[in-house]
Amino acid sequence: MRKGSIKRATKETAIEVELDLDGRGAANIATGIGFLDHMLELLARHSRMDLTVRANGDLHVDHHHTTEDAGIAIGQALRQALGDMRGITRFADVHVPMDETLTRVALDISGRPLLVFKAEFTRDKVGSFDTELVEEWFRAFAVNSGVTLHVTTIYGSNDHHIAESCFKGLARALRAATAVDARAPDEIPSTKGSLRN
């Protein structure tokens, strides 16, 4: 049962996340931010994990706190769901096209959180969503999931497509890296014998 459940409350946000790594890609997302909801629905669908996110945040200020804290909580739920990481494939590297955009996502479920994010946006906003918050979400997710994560948009010109290819790339990479390795289903994929730190 590779599931995670997180409740996180601060003076800025209250967020509940439920995550099932072995789901069917069902999404039940309500953050109050339409664009973020769309990206998280893509994450669930293409990773095939079931994901529920309920967030109430200080949207009268801006979208920053809700976006970042959603990344924190989803990252924590993923880490919880993975347990000791026994049997996982661990590494993945994918290229995802989205019309004129091409993004590469490579990750290692290493227990050593790191984000390298190289995607340039041409505008400050997609709709009402600040494009700089895409990187903020990925950083919060990587740090709290314990994943080494590299996201590079190789080329692209439409900011919606750039963001979407980043989230779809993460989804497909997570799907591959969290899959159980049929050749070593009972092994922790590390010569150290642990991926928890």
Side-chain angles (χ1 to χ4, degrees):
M1 301 292 288
R2 300 193 303 165
K3 296 181 179 181
S5 180
I6 296 293
K7 292 184 179 181
R8 186 176 191 277
T10 70
K11 291 182 179 180
E12 298 167 341
T13 64
I15 297 180
E16 295 183 14
V17 171
E18 293 182 6
L19 183 154
D20 182 352
L21 279 176
D22 301 310
R24 299 173 59 93
N28 189 349
I29 312 294
T31 67
I33 304 170
F35 187 76
L36 180 60
D37 289 356
H38 179 43
M39 294 300 106
L40 298 181
E41 288 164 1
L42 295 171
L43 178 65
R45 173 65 60 88
H46 295 287
S47 67
R48 303 306 293 173
M49 67 179 168
D50 293 342
L51 180 63
T52 297
V53 180
R54 290 278 176 267
N56 291 301
D58 55 358
L59 299 183
H60 63 285
V61 176
D62 64 11
H63 293 165
H64 187 111
H65 297 142
T66 301
T67 301
E68 182 178 33
D69 289 4
I72 290 170
I74 294 168
Q76 290 173 345
L78 176 69
R79 190 172 178 91
Q80 186 182 94
L82 285 167
D84 65 2
M85 286 78 146
R86 189 174 305 276
I88 64 169
T89 302
R90 180 176 166 178
F91 298 96
D93 181 12
V94 300
H95 286 77
V96 172
M98 178 65 197
D99 295 350
E100 87 299 339
T101 297
L102 182 65
T103 295
R104 180 183 66 237
V105 176
L107 62 80
D108 174 12
I109 302 174
S110 62
R112 298 183 306 276
L114 176 74
L115 174 67
V116 177
F117 189 88
K118 296 185 178 182
E120 294 184 10
F121 295 94
T122 60
R123 293 178 291 151
D124 292 337
K125 292 181 181 290
V126 175
S128 62
F129 187 80
D130 295 326
T131 50
E132 69 181 7
L133 295 181
V134 175
E135 182 174 357
E136 290 301 318
W137 186 91
F138 274 84
R139 180 173 293 106
F141 171 82
V143 167
N144 287 275
S145 62
V147 169
T148 300
L149 178 58
H150 293 253
V151 180
T152 305
T153 296
I154 299 167
Y155 47 79
S157 57
N158 181 294
D159 289 331
H160 187 125
H161 295 166
I162 291 169
E164 188 163 330
S165 66
C166 292
F167 276 90
K168 284 181 175 176
L170 174 61
R172 295 298 298 195
L174 281 173
R175 182 174 176 176
T178 61
V180 175
D181 184 345
R183 296 176 63 187
D186 299 316
E187 294 179 15
I188 295 172
S190 170
T191 54
K192 295 185 297 184
S194 173
L195 290 170
R196 295 304 293 179
N197 50 26

